[in-house]
Amino acid sequence: MVVVAILAAGRGTRMKSGLPKVLHSLGGRSLLERVIESVEPLSPSRQIAIVGYQSEQVKTAMHSISNLEFVEQTVQLGTGHAIQQLLPYLQDYTGDLLVLNGDLPLIRSETLQQMLQTHAQNQNAATILTSHLPDPTGYGRVFCNDRNIVQQMVEHKDCSAAQRQNHRINAGVYCFRWQNLAQVLPYLQANNVQKEYYLTDAVTQVGQVMAVDVEDYQEILGINDRLQLAIAYEILQRRVKEKWMLAGVTLIDPTSITIDETVELQSDVIIEPQTHLRGNTVIKTGSHIGPGSLIENSQLAENVTVQYSVVTDSTVKAGSRIGPYAHLRGQVQVGAGCRVGNFVELKNTQLGDRTNAAHLSYLGDSVVGNQVNIGAGTITANYDGVKKHPTKIGDRTKTGANSVLVAPVILGNDVYVAAGSTISQNVPDDALAIARSRQVVKLGWRRKTNANETIDRHK
Ligand code: UD1
Ligand code: MG
């Protein structure tokens, strides 16, 4: 049985931000959410976040995590002081306490599981995660004997020049036998450069403490400033892209592409440079996305192509071609074999199969049938200044160039709309609608001139 405590009360001064550090976003999720996700597979009996700096904001941001408890650390006097706040809440608890820093977003559940195993097998009073960093600057150093039993922990700022040569660092993940820790917590001192109560000072006083090395030090990167946040994002992206490339996805110029972990891709998808895939996006086999596209919370079926376009909250069926320069948003559904082309915006609109809107159009709140041709420059005037209204267009209907469809309006099946028409009334099946003034041609017309006036036609 394990209780988890996550340290999330600090301001994160080095972020130089109004936002509490643990709420900074890394690839769409906050640092704190990521830490909480990493402990979920351990099925902890309780999960407690210790909050302080802008605690209301932190609580609100975490409201969807139902089993998360909050303990307040009203003044932030250090990580040891933060854990002291748990004493009244865990008085009769006799199990283990897993403590994680809230700024540790890349830690893997498997690593935590292994650490808990080592802790139990060796009957340690505490077990901590350590790693050997090429550049350990800023981290606390851990000194062990040859059996990995921790002898001493010293914060970077408190280290002598010789101690700084030790590259074995404290990751900020600890498993304590709670009763042992509870006994030493009240006696912590703040005799250090930062005048803080360090949790690391408690560690060496609880009994046998073992250090477990994390092989991949990238996992235990602590986020203290925006540079480390960017490095973490790079690491995360590398993990995601490697996974998809090995699963049969071609990424052309991977460094210019970003892919959220929540995205799902099938084999033989090709992603071109400067393309960004976000949220709950699914892209099926044979699709070719990019260059220069943003796909967010959208489902693209097989063999879809998207070029230089933005697709959000939408679905596109097999074989459709989107772009260049199209914008789909607000629950668009594009059928199979459609073409949505240059400078076309679709909002909350449904296209049937083999329907084309190839140039310069806006279709909003519309339901469009199969094999429809939306002529260049066709616009649905869906907004009367107060309300949005729907447009319905039947199968095989063709709108001429520069038609305006004033909603609410229904065009039947096999309708033709003459170019330049403003359609404000319904049109039945098989009809031709012309709604424009007739062209007047005045033969032989020329501006009257008096004898002395010459017209410079090049002016
Ligand atoms: C800490 C460790 C250091 C370790 C490093 C790993 C201590 C004293 N040092 O240093 O050994 O190498 O993490 O990344 O623990 N927090 C509170 N209340 C406070 C102070 C901090 O809740 O009063 C929280 C912060 O919000 C943060 C976490 O504790 O999530 C760690 O604090 P931080 O200031 O980042 O510690 P480091 O200097 O990184
Ligand atoms: Mg830190």
Side-chain angles (χ1 to χ4, degrees), residues 21-22 41 54 106 164 194 234 295-296 308 350 366 410 429 448 455:
K21 174 168 76 172
V22 292
Q54 299 203 349
L106 301 182
R164 284 187 185 168
Q194 304 191 80
E234 249 176 68
I295 316 288
E296 191 161 17
Y308 293 108
Q350 217 176 300
S366 305
I410 299 173
D429 293 353
K448 301 264 186 314
I455 296 172

Side-chain angles (χ1 to χ4, degrees), residues 250-296:
T250 297
L251 302 182
I252 300 172
D253 187 17
T255 51
S256 76
I257 293 167
T258 63
I259 306 175
D260 282 0
E261 299 142 289
T262 41
V263 168
E264 279 187 41
L265 304 174
Q266 291 187 348
S267 63
D268 288 329
V269 162
I270 299 174
I271 311 291
E272 295 242 24
Q274 309 290 351
T275 293
H276 308 283
L277 309 178
R278 296 195 185 146
N280 297 317
T281 289
V282 178
I283 302 177
K284 294 201 173 162
T285 191
S287 286
H288 192 137
I289 313 301
S293 295
L294 169 64
I295 316 288
E296 191 161 17

